[in-house]
Amino acid sequence: MSAQPSAPPRRTRLTPERERELFTAVVDLVREHGYEALTMDAVAARTKASKATLYRQWESKPKLVATALRHLAGTSPTDVDTGSLAGDLRQMLHELIAHATEDTALLNGLAHAVTKDTQLWEALHELHIRPGLESLDAVVNRAIERGELAPDNPAKDYIVHLILGAFGTRRLIENKDVDAEYMEGYLAAVVFPALGIS
């Protein structure tokens, strides 16, 4: 009598709430320790899940982290429309500053890994970069439609680089975090003149 074919491994069903709890824990661990130091043992301990369950669901650490990032990308930045480009940029920066500590920790935790793992970079882009760029594009396009910003202004394509550059370099040069006072001065001295607004 021939042997019966073995059944495929069963994929455990997790509730949406349990998945979100697990994905949040994964991203928190990356913030705390970095991607390279993250282990499936640490995820299992933090989430009170078995390693077997984690591997059955996601197969590997890269897939688990990428899936966690994508899952948490469900919310978009608040639509900013204060009626002026200066006001919109100020509001967007206040929101960035409010989340700067946790976001910087996540970006730092993934910085080295994303240069070698396209799947991780795509997930990080989906979670953090693309929504912010889309929100900024909407702000810039409204400013052009209002006649507030010249459509051929060369600085408009570098707004995000100017702003994010300030976040990265202040810590490097001064060993200080960016705060509202610093960014207000930076906007007035650098970003607004480049855009021809005040």
Side-chain angles (χ1 to χ4, degrees):
M1 191 167 73
S2 61
Q4 294 294 318
S6 60
R10 188 172 68 84
R11 195 167 162 86
T12 306
R13 292 288 183 194
L14 300 177
T15 65
E17 294 77 17
R18 177 61 172 151
E19 272 200 338
R20 184 164 188 85
E21 176 188 340
L22 194 145
F23 291 148
T24 300
V26 168
V27 172
D28 285 345
L29 283 165
V30 172
R31 288 188 181 112
E32 293 166 19
H33 305 293
Y35 177 80
E36 281 81 4
L38 177 70
T39 64
M40 293 299 241
D41 283 317
V43 174
R46 176 72 62 94
T47 61
K48 296 180 173 55
S50 73
K51 272 205 306 183
T53 297
L54 298 177
Y55 280 110
R56 188 164 52 243
Q57 290 286 114
W58 294 286
E59 299 177 9
S60 67
K61 180 175 83 168
K63 285 188 178 179
L64 172 57
V65 175
T67 304
L69 288 168
R70 287 199 176 97
H71 181 86
L72 297 178
T75 57
S76 298
T78 307
D79 186 31
V80 174
D81 189 0
T82 65
S84 75
L85 180 55
D88 290 349
L89 291 176
R90 283 190 178 101
Q91 185 172 326
M92 292 180 82
L93 274 171
H94 284 299
E95 291 180 12
L96 269 177
I97 290 167
H99 300 287
T101 300
E102 62 182 21
D103 288 350
T104 300
L106 176 61
L107 293 171
N108 288 342
L110 290 168
H112 181 67
V114 296
T115 64
K116 299 181 176 182
D117 191 321
T118 302
Q119 186 182 30
L120 275 180
W121 180 85
E122 288 171 350
L124 183 65
H125 190 275
E126 186 174 336
L127 174 63
H128 275 277
I129 300 168
R130 182 185 52 78
L133 290 176
E134 289 176 350
S135 184
L136 180 60
D137 283 346
V139 162
V140 168
N141 289 335
R142 278 196 298 263
I144 291 171
E145 289 167 8
R146 288 192 299 259
E148 188 181 3
L149 179 64
D152 60 350
N153 183 304
K156 70 179 175 56
D157 296 327
Y158 301 100
I159 297 172
V160 67
H161 303 87
L162 287 169
I163 290 172
L164 294 184
F167 275 84
T169 55
R170 192 179 198 207
R171 170 56 63 187
L172 178 66
I173 294 169
E174 301 178 46
N175 198 27
K176 292 180 180 178
D177 289 325
V178 164
D179 55 22
E181 181 181 1
Y182 175 85
M183 285 310 299
E184 184 62 38
Y186 183 76
L187 285 174
V190 178
V191 180
F192 292 170
L195 297 172
I197 62 174
S198 56

